[in-house]
Amino acid sequence: MSGKLVPATPDEDELWRLAVRTLDGNWEHDHTAPSRTLYPHQWSWDSAFIAIGWAHVHPDRAWTELTSLFDAQWRDGRVPHIVFNPAVPVDAYFPGPGFWASAAVDGAPRVATSGLVQPPVHALAAWHAYRRAPSESGRAALGRLYPRLVAQQRYLATHRDVGGAGLASIVHPWESGLDNSPAWDAPLAAVPAEVAALGAYRRRDLAHAAAAHRPTDLDYARYVAIVTAYRTAGYRDDGLADEHPFLVECPLFNAAMGAAEHALAGIAGEIGADPGPHTERAARITTALVNRLYDPTTGTFHPRDLRTGRLTPARTVLGLTPLLLPDLPARQVEAIRVEAVSSRFGLATRMPRPLPSHDRTAADFEPLRYWRGPSWMNINWLVRHGLLGHGHTELAAGLRASMIELATTAGCHEYFHPETGVGLGSPAFGWTAALLLDVLATPDR
Ligand code: 9WN
């Protein structure tokens, strides 16, 4: 599907052009910066979402975006969450390349990267991008990416299965992509850290965004302490269970990992490989996710803290994301629907605003602070995708309309006030623009 097929109203037409301009403005020779100011390098899951948008207007850029990211894949298969652009000054983002020190690690690529990962939405994105713009060169790019996507999954399913139950653990809130979510409050509170330790560094985010919207200094001190522990261990995963201060099984991360196997089955079929092993692995991940992270008493999914063995109590939007799995059992699909349409999230066939990132009725709901309330386009896109996959077309249509209406008034911001719809964070944000293109180009069925 390409740009010219968009059945646009004048408003949608203008929005389409704004989104393309935003992506163009952030394009940087072989990748797209999430934001020129706040995030001037390449981010892993951002690139996946952004590739879906490029597929509508510039399919070659979609493949370049994913390929440049996977060029930085480590020998063990991990796809780093940040690939540093050497042309950007080293102090433009904290923590920068010197802090991560990837060059000192055997098996890291030549380009400087972080040592963490992000939710593995890349196979899903590659499969989407291909189906949006099928072509011979697209199939060839898909064929080259396939073994790298498989290696990414293998890394997560082996090195990161710290709990031994078939799910991957995240070792830092940054790996969740929802860095400051209330879901991490309990495991993060157990990480020993002192704000004073931050004195050695300068937070660059506060030069571009209001402190009241961003994580606190104590959160940052803990983020730094967790990376320091992992870096000191050479980013090796074999000692995680004994030593590492933050170990959590996240519902979104694992739903993405399962959805990736479904996407890889589709890709395998397209390029003449065997889809069978992917379908089998997908089924195992779905079973493990339901067994480990679904709580029948709350009727939603929660992260599991491996340090305590307990599910974390917050009911965040993470709980809705297993809908991404096409083979999620009907009981859990229905439980997620009930949770989503409750006053906590407000999903409806006509809804004033997209889903918030946290339960609107919770005492710790904060409409302005990063991932603790604001609405984000990528999460709404994922949930829409899941609703469509499970036949909830009218709810998906309500969500789509609310996403378009929000961006029509507020533009391509990084995130949005979940009640007023005011745009927050970076005003020219990559995945917002990219996913708007996709939503505009895929009208309700
Ligand atoms: C840390 C780039 C990234 C997103 C994350 C988002 C934010 C970074 C930060 O920006 O995280 O990785 O500095 O806060 O939380 O989801 O990938 O857009």
Side-chain angles (χ1 to χ4, degrees):
M1 194 171 295
S2 78
K4 58 186 178 303
L5 293 181
V6 176
T9 62
D11 271 357
E12 289 189 5
D13 205 39
E14 206 177 309
L15 188 54
W16 180 272
R17 280 186 275 111
L18 170 69
V20 174
R21 272 202 310 279
T22 303
L23 280 186
D24 262 330
N26 290 7
W27 173 252
E28 182 63 50
H29 73 278
D30 65 358
H31 69 275
T32 312
S35 150
R36 288 272 176 199
T37 52
L38 262 178
Y39 314 111
H41 301 282
Q42 180 172 30
W43 259 260
S44 170
W45 80 327
D46 298 65
S47 275
F49 293 123
I50 286 168
I52 295 171
W54 277 132
H56 293 285
V57 288
H58 239 311
D60 53 324
R61 286 192 180 174
W63 301 116
T64 305
E65 180 89 42
L66 288 169
T67 302
S68 65
L69 177 68
F70 278 82
D71 282 347
Q73 187 167 31
W74 288 30
R75 198 190 303 136
D76 61 12
R78 90 181 71 193
V79 177
H81 103 290
I82 307 173
V83 182
F84 290 101
N85 177 355
V88 169
V90 286
D91 61 352
Y93 176 79
F94 173 77
F99 178 82
W100 296 95
S102 62
V105 184
D106 185 36
R110 213 177 312 189
V111 63
T113 75
S114 77
L116 300 175
V117 297
Q118 274 186 324
V121 288
H122 310 81
L124 186 71
W127 188 221
H128 256 80
Y130 178 72
R131 282 180 306 161
R132 300 299 192 230
S135 70
E136 272 313 311
S137 59
R139 186 180 296 109
L142 207 51
R144 286 191 296 272
L145 277 170
Y146 175 74
R148 298 161 158 212
L149 292 163
V150 171
Q152 175 189 31
Q153 292 287 102
R154 194 180 307 121
Y155 168 75
L156 297 173
T158 54
H159 293 238
R160 289 302 191 87
D161 184 4
V162 184
L167 296 183
S169 290
I170 57 170
V171 303
H172 196 294
W174 284 337
E175 295 203 312
S176 72
L178 277 68
D179 312 347
N180 198 29
S181 170
W184 318 129
D185 287 358
L188 204 56
V191 175
E194 307 255 341
V195 171
L198 265 193
Y201 308 105
R202 191 150 149 248
R203 283 183 63 176
R204 296 296 303 172
D205 58 323
L206 299 182
H208 304 291
H213 299 183
R214 295 284 304 174
T216 64
D217 276 352
L218 183 55
D219 290 330
Y220 256 80
R222 290 184 169 129
Y223 297 158
V224 165
I226 303 170
V227 174
T228 305
Y230 199 31
R231 188 188 59 209
T232 306
Y235 300 112
R236 291 175 57 89
D237 297 311
D238 40 12
L240 286 173
D242 302 325
E243 313 273 349
H244 197 68
F246 183 98
L247 274 180
V248 177
E249 291 171 351
C250 167
L252 168 56
F253 196 99
N254 283 286
M257 190 165 87
E261 291 296 344
H262 286 281
L264 284 168
I267 295 172
E270 184 69 22
I271 63 168
D274 180 8
H278 298 300
T279 315
E280 284 160 26
R281 283 200 281 272
R284 285 202 293 274
I285 293 169
T286 299
T287 304
L289 191 81
V290 170
N291 289 343
R292 298 272 292 175
L293 307 186
Y294 179 69
D295 182 349
T297 59
T298 60
T300 191
F301 286 82
H302 299 259
R304 184 177 292 277
D305 181 351
L306 292 192
R307 287 269 152 260
T308 61
R310 285 198 293 272
L311 295 179
T312 68
R315 299 175 85 123
T316 72
V317 79
L318 290 168
L320 310 183
T321 57
L323 216 49
L324 270 179
L325 294 166
D327 52 357
L328 192 67
R331 177 148 174 249
Q332 277 73 34
V333 172
E334 176 55 11
I336 290 180
R337 189 197 62 78
V338 169
E339 175 78 354
V341 301
S342 75
S343 53
R344 285 186 276 279
F345 295 100
L347 177 68
T349 53
R350 291 175 74 86
M351 51 200 286
R353 299 278 173 236
L355 304 169
S357 45
H358 185 34
D359 170 3
R360 277 200 176 91
T361 66
D364 57 357
F365 174 74
E366 289 187 75
L368 290 174
R369 203 184 285 277
Y370 223 56
W371 296 114
R372 303 182 78 87
S375 301
W376 299 71
M377 284 296 177
N378 66 333
I379 299 298
N380 278 278
W381 185 92
L382 290 168
V383 173
R384 174 180 184 243
H385 179 67
L387 288 167
L388 288 171
H390 288 283
H392 287 305
T393 39
E394 289 183 4
L395 289 173
L399 194 53
R400 174 179 186 267
S402 73
M403 292 164 79
I404 293 175
E405 194 190 316
L406 179 65
T408 304
T409 44
C412 291
H413 272 80
E414 182 182 0
Y415 50 101
F416 304 86
H417 191 294
E419 316 297 346
T420 65
V422 165
L424 301 165
S426 162
F429 195 65
W431 80 43
T432 303
L435 296 176
L436 269 174
L437 292 178
D438 192 58
V439 162
L440 286 168
T442 54
D444 304 316
R445 281 158 266 167

